[in-house]
Amino acid sequence: MAGTREILYSLPMATRLPTKSSIYNHFNRHLHQHNRLPRSNYLPCDSGKRLLVQPRKVVVVAATPIKAAAETAVQCQVKAVVTVKRGSMEYVKDMVFRWLDSDAHRAQTGVVLQLVSTQVDPNSENPKLSKEAKIYWSINPKTKGGNKISHEVEFVVDANFGVPGAIIVTNKYKKEFYLESIVAIEGLVHFACNSWVQPHGFHAHNRIFFSNKVYLPNDTPVGLKRLREKELQQLRGNSDDSRTTSDRIYDYDVYNDLGNPDKGDEFVRPILGNQSQPYPRRCRSKRPPTNSDVNVESPVSKYMPKYVPRDEAFGDLKAKAITEGKWKAMLRSLIPTLKQKAAINGEAIKSFSDITELYKESLPPFEEGGDECWEKGGLPKLRNKMIKECGQDVFKFDSPKLISRDIPSCCLRDDELGRLTLAGMNPLSIERLKVFPPVSNLDPSIYGPQDSALKEEQIICHLNGMSVQQAIEENKLFILDYHDVYLPFLDRINAHPTKKAYATRTIFVLTDMGSLKPIAIELSLPEKNRNGPPKCVVTPPVDATTCWLWQLGKAHVCSNDAGAHQLIHHWLRTHACLEPFIIAAHRQLSVMHPIYKLLHCHMRYTMDVNAQGRQLLLNAGGIIESHFFTAACSMEVSASVYQNWWRFDMESLPADLIRRGMAVPDATEPHGLKLLIEDYPYATDGLLIWSAIEQLVQAYVHYYYPEANIIESDSELNAWYHESINIGHADIRHASWWLKLSTPNNLISILTTIIWLASAHHAAVNFGMYPYGGHFPVRPPFMRRLVPNECDPDYTTFLADPEGYFLASLPCLDQMLHYISVLHILSTHSADEEYLGDRKDLSAWAGDPEIVEAFYKFSMEMKKIGKEIEKRNGDPNLRNRCGAGISPYELLLPSSGPGVTCRGVPNSVSI
């Protein structure tokens, strides 16, 4: 909506009320005089149509103070439509509404609303207010479709009231309600509320909602200044206050909620977020401490629920999708035929057929009709529906991409390992090899010699006549290097009774076809390892024995890679490191601030996802520790990477590619850099999206901040960035690489990076987890045995039955049933997902057509990118994404339907 800074309407002394046309003319005149809207004969309406209004010549007169009139001021009525949303599980009957709103109760119930002008009363110097208006749920509700209900309300204001800039809402009912929007004056004033309003008896603060007009802090109308400050103060809350699930308080805390010392020493975990264990901050939840350690927060329980600010919690569709996924996972584990095969006592898998029988041959459309089934009968209906639709396959898993076209294969082929490092679930670890042999940066006095066991003679035969140095200089050698990441933790990891791991290095050569081929794997253990040499190298097979050793080596590489994917590139770089920016945005940026409005859709659901992650995935004994080789060290591995490797200035896609040696700067290339592997699907598709985001942010920032001094004078913007670093990332706040918020270009870089991480980066590492990781023999999250050597007592067993040894090295079926069920849930799009390029809040910029045009261009660019990616996936020259049995790379296709689709880029870290 296009607001103004001047008077809405003024009347000569008369008894008649103003006509609609006079109000429209007045708004139209002041829109042209005081906003950036170009002159037009049309005004926007709530219906999306435009009203024709004739322009007229206006004489502008200097304003003079208004003295109080002796006679009664002329008043007029302002109509508004209030839209609320009822939860999908709420079926309150009309008779209950009638009882709540009966004459006996009406004085204590209702929703009270009061308009606030952008102007102040010259006598009291307080904002001008309308008379209070009330809504009763039982009186004339109008269904708008679905679960939305609208109510009409009339406000009485003085004729010189001015433009409504805010609205105060008081809920006198005993239950919260979701206020979606308030539209006044035939659509000219729009309040996009989208928030839960709590009962006044529980929360004494009245709710403040601002119109969709964008204001920098210094441009805030005088009537809204105090309310703008008051709203931010309420959101900051008090650090000492306890938290309830209905609160809207945003604050910071360390990761002191992962362990549970009350359950025993095996559940003790270090606190992350200090000088010894640096980590980003999380949202403060203020649960009481444990009995055993006052510095550790008690875990979530029935009596101490998870806390996120109320408006950050999942919506009904999102919550229902996750609940359905949990039920499906539980039901699968209960089926007797699978229970018998699942080796409940942890026995080894007997044959590859036990694994392939877990998966369906084809995927039935389970999602269809899910809503109706859920609403009418809950779990029994859901179970019966699954049985009827799918028959014997109901509890089997959908075929992941890795086996959908290659079901007989239960071991990872060399070409697939190379392809998946560029176009799989983790395309962010591969680096160009710069030095051979690779050298460790770990302290040799603690971790032993820094030299690698890799030798030139082990790989020279795969270099087509080149020397190793020549291959390095011609950018032909690449590496997955997990040596320094995992070696410090291996003693503790390998002390686990069923988890064994190495710190691996894998060398790849770039073939003439543009694909990567693994040519050597280094397996490292701590120097004092008693089970064999601390370092060994396996190479591509030359006979049956080395074939199985090579397969075991690749399985350990994939186990290392699965841990890096989940703990570093997924959790740390998107979920954890973005949360401080989100908390600071709510604490320091008003909803009227243009940067808040830009980032708002990119913060959706992230805090709830992270809270659930700490409760179920990352906690002591949780899913990550149970199903990944890093076990109890998992979050410490993540903290070590944050301290030694993570840098915000390297989180942009171009900077990340250059840092890993996958690209070099080149001004002649479309994106300013040249990829050293041309067929690198994550990078080529990602650069299209990165550039589109950057162009949008450039247009946005240059519109609101054409000069650097405007950034310097923006108190809210500077407070947001300062707090994000100095409190949200407090342990590394003194690092010299933080960008300075001093120029429009730096602001563009900061915002583009945040939006990229929340959208495309997260999509690339999240929605392929089940499609690429759901077939665990080719990508096991942990291994139960080390690679045998001739000194190993089990070497004879390996020689006698290498397939049995390989199967016994894999996790048992009962563990993997749970693991792939979780991957399936985490890879699922919900029905209410919002995708990159689709903005539902464009009314916020109705008075700024340049911004609306920029968003429209961005939306069109996303559609164009989608077509380009589909074109690439059909190009037979791009062998990493097209070919017989090759799954196309679709993770960065912008749009998707619900379910596990292996495509779609949501706006935010929403799962």
Side-chain angles (χ1 to χ4, degrees):
M1 131 43 216
T4 79
R5 304 184 191 186
E6 302 298 320
I7 300 173
L8 164 64
Y9 181 67
S10 66
L11 283 173
M13 294 301 298
T15 56
R16 64 181 179 86
L17 291 177
T19 63
K20 287 185 179 181
S21 61
S22 61
I23 293 179
Y24 295 148
N25 283 331
H26 193 87
F27 258 75
N28 199 29
R29 181 173 76 244
H30 287 284
L31 285 171
H32 301 319
Q33 291 176 348
H34 301 287
N35 289 317
R36 298 171 180 173
L37 183 66
R39 182 166 292 278
S40 170
N41 292 346
Y42 296 90
L43 285 174
C45 290
D46 186 47
S47 63
K49 301 178 181 178
R50 294 182 180 269
L51 294 174
L52 179 61
V53 182
Q54 295 298 329
R56 62 183 181 180
K57 186 175 181 180
V58 179
V59 178
V60 180
V61 181
T64 57
I66 302 173
K67 295 183 179 180
E71 61 271 21
T72 303
V74 176
Q75 295 181 328
C76 58
Q77 293 178 336
V78 176
K79 291 185 178 181
V81 176
V82 179
T83 301
V84 299
K85 221 176 358 179
R86 290 167 56 186
S88 60
M89 303 303 290
E90 266 186 75
Y91 296 101
V92 183
K93 303 299 182 183
D94 287 342
M95 59 179 294
V96 177
F97 279 138
R98 292 193 186 99
W99 180 83
L100 287 173
D101 290 345
S102 64
D103 292 338
H105 297 84
R106 189 163 293 172
Q108 291 81 36
T109 61
V111 178
V112 181
L113 304 101
Q114 197 168 21
L115 286 176
V116 182
S117 173
T118 57
Q119 300 178 2
V120 296
D121 186 296
N123 297 316
S124 66
E125 296 186 354
N126 291 321
K128 295 179 181 178
L129 302 174
S130 72
K131 293 188 182 299
E132 290 185 349
K134 256 193 176 185
I135 294 177
Y136 298 98
W137 294 145
S138 64
I139 298 179
N140 300 325
K142 296 181 180 179
T143 302
K144 296 186 70 173
N147 58 349
K148 296 182 182 180
I149 298 173
S150 66
H151 294 264
E152 291 186 354
V153 64
E154 289 186 351
F155 297 96
V156 177
V157 300
D158 291 341
N160 62 352
F161 179 76
V163 178
I167 192 164
I168 299 173
V169 180
T170 305
N171 178 12
K172 291 193 174 182
Y173 286 109
K174 294 184 178 180
K175 190 172 183 180
E176 67 177 6
F177 69 93
Y178 188 85
L179 179 59
E180 183 175 86
S181 66
I182 302 173
V183 180
I185 316 176
E186 299 291 340
L188 292 177
V189 182
H190 192 107
F191 299 85
C193 305
N194 296 312
S195 179
W196 291 94
V197 180
Q198 301 301 324
H200 189 65
F202 298 158
H203 292 263
H205 297 302
N206 293 327
R207 288 301 307 278
I208 306 165
F209 295 100
F210 297 98
S211 72
N212 276 12
K213 177 64 179 171
V214 175
Y215 295 108
L216 291 173
N218 292 340
D219 298 331
T220 308
V222 63
L224 304 180
K225 283 184 177 291
R226 292 181 185 174
L227 289 181
R228 184 171 185 151
E229 295 170 359
K230 181 179 179 181
E231 172 72 357
L232 289 174
Q233 289 172 358
Q234 291 180 7
L235 292 171
R236 292 171 197 144
N238 188 323
S239 297
D240 297 328
D241 292 342
S242 59
R243 302 286 186 267
T244 66
T245 55
S246 61
D247 282 335
R248 297 169 60 241
I249 299 175
Y250 296 79
D251 200 3
Y252 304 91
D253 207 347
V254 296
Y255 277 63
N256 62 349
D257 60 340
L258 301 177
N260 187 4
D262 290 348
K263 291 179 66 175
D265 292 343
E266 65 270 27
F267 291 93
V268 174
R269 297 293 180 271
I271 295 173
L272 304 182
N274 49 58
Q275 290 303 311
S276 60
Q277 298 258 35
Y279 215 66
R281 299 301 187 258
R282 65 174 179 94
C283 180
R284 185 186 296 271
S285 47
K286 287 295 290 183
R287 291 189 298 274
T290 60
N291 295 325
S292 305
D293 189 341
V294 295
N295 296 314
V296 176
E297 188 173 85
S298 295
V300 171
S301 68
K302 177 181 178 180
Y303 305 102
M304 293 180 291
K306 163 182 67 71
Y307 171 77
V308 293
R310 182 65 182 97
D311 292 335
E312 304 300 319
F314 287 158
D316 291 329
L317 291 176
K318 187 76 170 182
K320 182 169 71 67
I322 292 178
T323 301
E324 284 184 353
K326 290 178 181 178
W327 282 122
K328 288 167 69 176
M330 184 189 73
L331 289 171
R332 282 176 176 134
S333 67
L334 293 176
I335 271 304
T337 56
L338 290 184
K339 280 280 226 179
Q340 293 172 4
K341 295 179 180 292
I344 299 304
N345 58 358
E347 293 179 359
I349 300 169
K350 302 301 181 184
S351 68
F352 281 117
S353 62
D354 290 347
I355 300 171
T356 57
E357 288 179 8
L358 297 177
Y359 303 97
K360 304 173 187 176
E361 293 185 4
S362 60
L363 174 61
F366 170 77
E367 287 78 6
E368 295 180 4
D371 291 356
E372 179 183 357
C373 173
W374 178 264
E375 292 175 2
K376 290 184 178 180
L379 175 60
K381 290 278 187 179
L382 176 64
R383 180 195 59 213
N384 294 336
K385 179 176 182 294
M386 291 171 68
I387 293 174
K388 287 179 181 179
E389 287 187 353
C390 305
Q392 301 255 337
D393 281 348
V394 61
F395 297 103
K396 291 187 177 183
F397 292 92
D398 307 333
S399 295
K401 278 186 176 290
L402 281 176
I403 63 170
S404 60
R405 296 187 177 97
D406 193 18
I407 291 177
S409 175
C410 284
C411 292
L412 184 62
R413 304 192 311 263
D414 288 0
D415 62 303
E416 276 292 271
L417 176 58
R419 188 179 74 85
L420 293 175
T421 61
L422 301 172
M425 65 186 287
N426 178 23
L428 292 117
S429 289
I430 188 69
E431 302 178 51
R432 178 169 60 87
L433 183 64
K434 300 172 184 176
V435 176
F436 187 88
V439 179
S440 171
N441 292 319
L442 297 176
D443 186 344
S445 65
I446 301 175
Y447 301 106
Q450 295 176 318
D451 297 335
S452 168
L454 289 162
K455 306 297 181 184
E456 183 169 350
E457 57 266 24
Q458 295 167 333
I459 66 172
I460 189 108
C461 59
H462 300 283
L463 302 184
N464 296 325
M466 291 185 290
S467 67
V468 172
Q469 187 58 37
Q470 183 182 359
I472 290 175
E473 291 173 356
E474 295 187 14
N475 302 319
K476 295 294 185 181
L477 292 178
F478 295 82
I479 186 171
L480 284 178
D481 191 348
Y482 295 125
H483 181 276
D484 290 6
V485 174
Y486 295 129
L487 191 69
F489 302 94
L490 282 184
D491 280 333
R492 292 165 58 192
I493 291 171
N494 288 329
H496 193 281
T498 63
K499 294 181 180 178
K500 306 300 175 185
Y502 297 96
T504 65
R505 290 187 178 114
T506 307
I507 306 296
F508 296 84
V509 63
L510 180 64
T511 70
D512 293 338
M513 295 184 296
S515 58
L516 291 178
K517 175 185 176 183
I519 57 175
I521 298 171
E522 181 183 34
L523 304 171
S524 297
L525 293 169
E527 186 70 17
K528 298 178 181 179
N529 171 59
R530 299 178 181 178
N531 297 322
K535 297 178 182 179
C536 66
V537 176
V538 293
T539 54
V542 295
D543 56 24
T545 300
T546 54
C547 177
W548 282 105
L549 292 174
W550 181 243
Q551 291 296 343
L552 284 165
K554 288 190 293 184
H556 277 280
V557 169
C558 290
S559 175
N560 269 200
D561 192 64
H565 160 264
Q566 196 64 265
L567 294 171
I568 301 169
H569 304 303
H570 185 195
W571 169 258
L572 175 66
R573 296 178 68 182
T574 62
H575 290 263
C577 287
L578 283 178
E579 186 161 357
F581 292 97
I582 295 173
I583 298 171
H586 288 284
R587 288 169 53 86
Q588 300 297 342
L589 295 177
S590 166
V591 296
M592 294 188 286
H593 197 286
I595 300 306
Y596 179 91
K597 289 188 178 293
L598 174 67
L599 293 179
H600 181 253
C601 70
H602 302 292
M603 303 187 291
R604 184 174 185 247
Y605 291 155
T606 302
M607 293 179 68
D608 199 341
V609 169
N610 288 2
Q612 294 203 36
R614 295 191 302 273
Q615 175 189 350
L616 301 171
L617 300 175
L618 306 167
N619 58 311
I623 291 170
I624 297 294
E625 291 191 359
S626 299
H627 297 305
F628 286 83
F629 78 94
T630 44
C633 305
S634 296
M635 288 300 286
E636 292 177 72
V637 170
S638 179
S640 174
V641 172
Y642 176 72
Q643 179 179 22
N644 299 315
W645 181 83
W646 186 86
R647 292 177 49 163
F648 182 75
D649 65 328
M650 293 293 168
E651 288 298 274
S652 72
L653 177 59
D656 176 61
L657 292 171
I658 293 171
R659 179 189 199 182
R660 291 189 282 122
M662 302 302 292
V664 293
D666 187 341
T668 66
E669 293 292 324
H671 306 289
L673 72 167
K674 177 180 175 59
L675 293 173
L676 299 184
I677 300 178
E678 293 182 3
D679 184 15
Y680 184 3
Y682 163 75
T684 55
D685 294 357
L687 285 170
L688 294 176
I689 295 178
W690 170 268
S691 294
I693 295 171
E694 187 175 46
Q695 290 171 14
L696 170 67
V697 175
Q698 282 176 347
Y700 196 91
V701 168
H702 287 316
Y703 181 78
Y704 291 107
Y705 300 96
E707 298 175 1
N709 65 321
I710 302 178
I711 292 177
E712 295 171 2
S713 64
D714 189 333
S715 57
E716 289 183 3
L717 180 66
N718 283 277
W720 164 69
Y721 191 58
H722 180 271
E723 187 171 289
S724 298
I725 296 171
N726 289 276
I727 301 179
H729 289 275
D731 304 321
I732 56 173
R733 64 188 182 275
H734 297 303
S736 60
W737 42 256
W738 285 105
L739 293 173
K740 307 299 181 185
L741 187 58
S742 55
T743 65
N745 285 339
N746 280 3
L747 178 57
I748 290 167
S749 180
I750 292 165
L751 296 174
T752 304
T753 299
I754 290 173
I755 295 172
W756 162 260
L757 291 171
S759 57
H761 177 119
H762 178 260
V765 296
N766 186 85
F767 295 104
M769 283 195 289
Y770 180 81
Y772 291 110
H775 188 51
F776 65 91
V778 302
R779 194 172 176 80
F782 71 90
M783 297 289 284
R784 302 206 296 176
R785 291 184 176 183
L786 297 172
V787 177
N789 59 72
E790 295 180 356
C791 301
D792 194 321
D794 289 336
Y795 192 72
T796 303
T797 303
F798 163 71
L799 292 177
D801 184 10
E803 179 178 311
Y805 189 95
F806 182 88
L807 290 171
S809 299
L810 297 174
C812 56
L813 283 181
D814 66 319
Q815 293 171 310
M816 288 302 96
L817 279 171
H818 187 224
Y819 171 69
I820 59 181
S821 294
V822 172
L823 291 187
H824 199 277
I825 294 171
L826 297 179
S827 302
T828 301
H829 290 286
S830 63
D832 69 339
E833 199 68 86
E834 297 178 3
Y835 296 96
L836 200 62
D838 295 330
R839 294 218 52 140
K840 301 182 182 301
D841 56 351
L842 285 182
S843 62
W845 296 276
D848 300 317
E850 293 93 336
I851 299 300
V852 175
E853 182 180 0
F855 281 122
Y856 176 78
K857 287 181 178 179
F858 180 68
S859 179
M860 292 301 101
E861 188 64 20
M862 287 300 106
K863 291 179 172 58
K864 181 180 176 182
I865 289 171
K867 292 180 180 179
E868 175 61 24
I869 291 174
E870 290 174 348
K871 179 182 176 182
R872 291 173 176 179
N873 285 331
D875 186 347
N877 295 315
L878 302 177
R879 296 175 182 268
N880 290 318
R881 63 198 307 161
C882 181
I886 299 297
S887 58
Y889 187 74
E890 299 178 318
L891 284 170
L892 292 178
L893 276 169
S895 62
S896 173
V900 179
T901 64
C902 200
R903 59 175 290 172
V905 181
N907 282 319
S908 62
V909 180
S910 57
I911 186 65

